[in-house]
Amino acid sequence: MLNLDTLISEEQLQARIKELGAQISKDYAGKEIIVLCILKGGVMFMTDLVKHIDVPLKMEFMVVSSYGDEYKSSGVVKVLKDLDEPIIGKNVLIVEDIIDSGRTLSCIQKMLQERGAESIKLCTLLDKKEERVTEVRVDYVGFPIGNEFVIGYGLDYKQYYRNLPYIAVNRG
Ligand code: IMP
Ligand code: MG
């Protein structure tokens, strides 16, 4: 068992997600978007976020495995489940739980760009900016955080804790 402290409460998460939804709706006014959730971590965030977006959208899901240990990704990304539809000419908004080294997302961004999307933007709930080793353009950030291992609201430790409605940090 981990010794958990709340880092971002459910109320803080929901308030910020509402703001992000409003901003995204404004930025994409008059357009249609494909909201692409990177499973499994992005699932809670995506399902709450789309409730606050008022432009026409389709929800898509992608499963990638990024080999590494339980704390870090390796950046060797393998697509386990791809999008159901082509994205040529489409506006794609990628929704992720957290950007750490940036390896996973820079790989996904490159892959999607090659498929001829009209635009590709990235929305992450959490951003560990100081940990970046690869350049990634992030368009929307929920919360910048420090170099701490966090869990909850989609984020896991050995696949557990994704169901917490808040973000917690392990105090050991
Ligand atoms: P990156 O490729 O280093 O940016 O790794 C991003 C991925 O690593 C995320 O999608 C998570 O799966 C995982 N990850 C990074 N930091 C954390 C954390 O603090 N808690 C849980 N998972 C994390
Ligand atoms: Mg993830």
Side-chain angles (χ1 to χ4, degrees), residues 129-147:
K129 217 172 178 170
E130 294 150 35
E131 298 301 297
R132 209 73 96 245
V133 300
T134 312
E135 201 180 322
V136 182
R137 210 190 72 245
V138 187
D139 301 280
Y140 304 97
V141 175
F143 301 87
I145 63 166
N147 181 25

Side-chain angles (χ1 to χ4, degrees), residues 65-83:
S65 78
S66 157
Y67 298 106
D69 60 25
E70 58 260 37
Y71 295 105
K72 288 279 171 197
S73 73
S74 66
V76 184
V77 173
K78 195 174 153 206
V79 177
L80 302 179
K81 186 229 172 283
D82 211 333
L83 286 86

